[in-house]
Amino acid sequence: MGSPQGSIATIDDAVTQLKSRIVTVEATLRSLKQQLADAEKRATPKRAASEATGQDGKTWESAVDRLDPAYPRESNTTKSLRPEEYQRYGRQLIVPEVGIRGELSANGSQGFIAGAGVGKIGLVDGDVVERSNLHRQILHTEKSIGLEKVDSVAEHLRALNSELDIEVHHDYLTPSNAVETFQQYNIILDCTDRPATRYLVSDAAILANKPVVTASALRIEGQLMVLNDPRSEDTKRFCYRCIFPKPPPAESVLTCGEGGILGPVVGVMGVLMAMETMKIILDVKPSITNNDISNNTDKPATSPKAPPTLLLYSAHTNTPFRSIRLRGPKKSCISCSPTRTITPTTLSSSNASSDYETFCGTAPPVTILPPSSRLSPTVYSQLRLEEEEGRKGGRGKGEGGQGKEEGEDTPHHILIDVRDPVQFDLCHLPRSINLPFSALSRDPEASIAALDKRIASDKEIPGGCKIVFICRFGNDSQRAVEAFLGRGEGGMMGERGRGMVGGKCEVLGDVEGGFRAWMREVDGGFPEY
């Protein structure tokens, strides 16, 4: 044990150090107080001049100072910008289409353009950040994984512009909360990827009388349009249902997780959405001609009005942008026409959510094959393990393979991977064969004939070998099995109707749940994408 004298000495040292720090802090505080007093003395003459001139100390004026009192502007906008706002937004203030008046409109608007100085931003999402989001949703970082998306985005935007008024809504948009949420804002930006939600956003925006800038992106393509555009005449405004009265077949709808998405495509569409939003805020009306812009912003340049269009983007073409002219409002639209049947009452009804899901439909789970034709990942893993052990045992018998028993070094089954080549190249199980279901569904006879020829000509594949199919989620593999079994008598899946491949291999079935289940139940190290 240490001596009492040593403990007392340690305490004394700590006390001495604390007293020394207090003396230093007090000296610093006295210095700061003196600096404050000096600054206040210097400010007194300027304050007196300000009070005398009524210009808040300004030695200059802007166009806003000369506005007629009747000039329309949002009630929550200030009469001018602060010096730091001139510095922040200066590069867009000198754009003729914006100017000081436009910036004041943006500053008082409630939308989603943080860097441009939009006053209030609302974020609606009930999802959390996942690692797969990071390549395209660049407001999130690795530190955001697991956080609610709205909180992650809010943190990033506040770091960009600390004066923003950001409202976060931690719930998914539903028929019961959509109209009330939209009424708090001036412009709605639809960044969703589900048809049912797109119809809901449009319907609720019509009821709240708000414009919608909507865009979507998939793979290397995107599209964008403006709904309920306030720059159009009331009789020419249209909604999402006017353009798409019927939703696409549920089984044809791909999400980013299923169809893939190139990150910059999302960026392109996001920037275009931001631009359209700023045009609405600044009341920049679309025109047919590209007229020269006058430096005189007191009166906007006039030009022929352009019809509403759907903007299409493709990263694959030399001319990536093209526009399709839209027909405009539909006279019998159930959402925006005078005879509409979608009302606040119907939207807030207890079964409204199910109505949207029913209208758009949901792709039902694929249950084509009977249980006897489906192998669980665990069962299939055991099949591969037994075959691998047999292969190793066969290689150990004699030189040059002499002394091996028949079939010990030959496959007892063949795995057919029906994912697209790009996914197959990412990751696949050893000794599997790629037969894309996209090609199989497009030309079944040619695809089946090609596999027949390959297996028939491969002398290392013995007769009686089993064929197993696998895909990403366990859906396309069932359809592939069905395509091969359909060659049997009457297309039935009974024992007599089982398809034979290459004249010597029998279709056994597929791996239930595909690679997603394989990763979950067998190999946690298999790449998830």
Side-chain angles (χ1 to χ4, degrees):
M1 295 180 63
S3 66
Q5 290 81 3
S7 300
I8 293 173
T10 301
I11 296 174
D12 289 342
D13 290 341
V15 170
T16 301
Q17 291 177 7
L18 288 172
K19 287 181 178 180
S20 176
R21 291 177 60 186
I22 290 173
V23 171
T24 302
V25 171
E26 287 177 341
T28 302
L29 182 59
R30 285 194 298 271
S31 175
L32 290 173
K33 287 181 178 180
Q34 185 60 48
Q35 293 177 42
L36 176 60
D38 293 342
E40 287 177 339
K41 288 180 181 179
R42 292 193 299 270
T44 300
K46 294 183 178 180
R47 186 179 301 113
S50 172
E51 293 172 353
T53 61
Q55 294 182 357
D56 295 331
K58 285 172 55 179
T59 60
W60 49 271
E61 67 176 10
S62 72
V64 177
D65 296 310
R66 294 182 280 107
L67 288 177
D68 187 284
Y71 177 75
R73 56 179 180 266
E74 297 286 343
S75 59
N76 61 338
T77 61
T78 58
K79 191 176 180 181
S80 187
L81 299 177
R82 299 187 305 279
E84 58 267 27
E85 290 179 309
Y86 277 91
Q87 293 176 344
R88 178 185 289 269
Y89 309 123
R91 299 303 186 273
Q92 69 187 32
L93 284 169
I94 60 178
V95 175
E97 295 92 332
V98 182
I100 183 69
R101 301 180 186 184
E103 184 58 39
L104 287 177
S105 297
N107 195 259
S109 184
Q110 300 170 351
F112 196 132
I113 314 294
V118 167
K120 181 179 179 180
I121 294 177
L123 307 170
V124 184
D125 201 338
D127 201 2
V128 298
V129 180
E130 299 178 353
R131 191 175 300 275
S132 61
N133 301 140
L134 301 184
H135 91 288
R136 66 189 186 281
Q137 299 175 12
I138 58 175
L139 291 184
H140 306 305
T141 66
E142 290 183 349
K143 294 181 180 179
S144 305
I145 295 175
L147 296 178
E148 293 200 47
K149 286 186 175 180
V150 291
D151 292 330
S152 173
V153 172
E155 180 181 357
H156 182 99
L157 296 183
R158 289 191 181 105
L160 174 66
N161 191 339
S162 60
E163 297 185 0
L164 290 176
D165 179 8
I166 300 178
E167 187 78 21
V168 294
H169 305 266
H170 292 92
D171 301 314
Y172 289 106
L173 196 72
T174 65
S176 61
N177 66 22
V179 176
E180 181 181 359
T181 301
F182 288 177
Q183 286 173 340
Q184 303 176 47
Y185 306 95
N186 300 122
I187 304 173
I188 311 302
L189 277 70
D190 178 11
C191 311
T192 61
D193 61 359
R194 297 182 64 249
T197 308
R198 290 188 176 278
Y199 282 101
L200 170 60
V201 168
S202 176
D203 293 344
I206 291 294
L207 293 175
N209 194 26
K210 307 294 181 180
V212 178
V213 180
T214 178
S216 62
L218 184 67
R219 292 177 174 165
I220 60 172
E221 298 176 333
Q223 63 182 35
L224 174 145
M225 61 181 171
V226 178
L227 308 174
N228 196 31
D229 193 334
R231 298 165 296 177
S232 303
E233 298 176 13
D234 291 347
T235 57
K236 295 183 178 180
R237 298 183 185 183
F238 59 92
C239 70
Y240 195 77
R241 291 181 186 270
C242 294
I243 309 304
F244 303 108
K246 295 182 179 180
E251 60 274 10
S252 69
V253 177
L254 294 177
T255 65
C256 292
E258 297 166 336
I261 179 68
L262 195 62
V265 175
V266 178
V268 169
M269 303 315 298
V271 168
L272 291 173
M273 292 181 75
M275 188 68 255
E276 288 302 318
T277 303
M278 289 301 299
K279 285 164 61 179
I280 294 174
I281 294 174
L282 300 172
D283 195 29
V284 176
K285 296 178 174 60
S287 63
I288 297 176
T289 59
N290 185 21
N291 289 347
D292 292 335
I293 301 298
S294 171
N295 287 328
N296 180 11
T297 57
D298 289 338
K299 294 182 180 180
T302 58
S303 58
K305 293 183 179 179
T309 59
L310 172 67
L311 178 67
L312 301 179
Y313 170 77
S314 175
H316 189 64
T317 60
N318 290 330
T319 53
F321 295 102
R322 63 191 182 99
S323 296
I324 296 178
R325 182 170 179 172
L326 299 176
R327 54 176 172 248
K330 185 180 179 183
K331 294 182 179 180
S332 59
C333 179
I334 64 173
S335 180
C336 68
S337 73
T339 59
R340 65 187 181 192
T341 57
I342 296 179
T343 65
T345 302
T346 59
L347 196 66
S348 60
S349 63
S350 58
N351 62 342
S353 294
S354 59
D355 288 345
Y356 279 94
E357 296 298 334
T358 302
F359 174 67
C360 293
T362 54
V366 178
T367 54
I368 298 173
L369 302 181
S372 59
S373 294
R374 312 211 69 187
L375 285 72
S376 71
T378 303
V379 169
Y380 179 65
S381 173
Q382 186 63 32
L383 175 64
R384 290 183 65 88
L385 182 61
E386 293 175 354
E387 184 172 309
E388 183 63 27
E389 289 176 348
R391 182 178 291 107
K392 291 179 179 179
R395 284 197 292 267
K397 294 186 178 184
E399 296 182 2
Q402 294 181 0
K404 291 189 297 182
E405 296 181 6
E406 184 179 356
E408 283 187 329
D409 197 22
T410 55
H412 298 286
H413 88 284
I414 299 174
L415 180 65
I416 307 297
D417 189 331
V418 298
R419 295 174 299 161
D420 284 341
V422 64
Q423 296 188 41
F424 183 81
D425 290 344
L426 287 176
C427 49
H428 56 265
L429 295 180
R431 296 182 299 279
S432 56
I433 296 175
N434 185 214
L435 176 66
F437 180 73
S438 56
L440 179 62
S441 59
R442 186 170 53 250
D443 192 347
E445 291 303 320
S447 297
I448 292 174
L451 187 62
D452 274 341
K453 183 177 180 180
R454 177 172 179 174
I455 290 179
S457 60
D458 193 335
K459 297 181 180 180
E460 294 187 0
I461 298 178
C465 186
K466 307 294 184 182
I467 301 289
V468 178
F469 291 82
I470 194 169
C471 66
R472 188 178 179 188
F473 299 113
N475 296 327
D476 288 344
S477 57
Q478 291 188 73
R479 298 185 179 102
V481 171
E482 182 185 41
F484 278 86
L485 295 181
R487 298 191 301 173
E489 183 179 351
M492 302 299 292
M493 288 189 240
E495 291 297 326
R496 291 179 177 271
R498 286 191 178 276
M500 297 295 292
V501 183
K504 57 183 178 181
C505 296
E506 181 182 355
V507 174
L508 181 62
D510 81 319
V511 178
E512 188 173 8
F515 282 113
R516 180 61 58 86
W518 177 267
M519 180 192 65
R520 185 174 58 249
E521 299 178 23
V522 177
D523 183 5
F526 194 84
E528 180 181 11
Y529 57 91

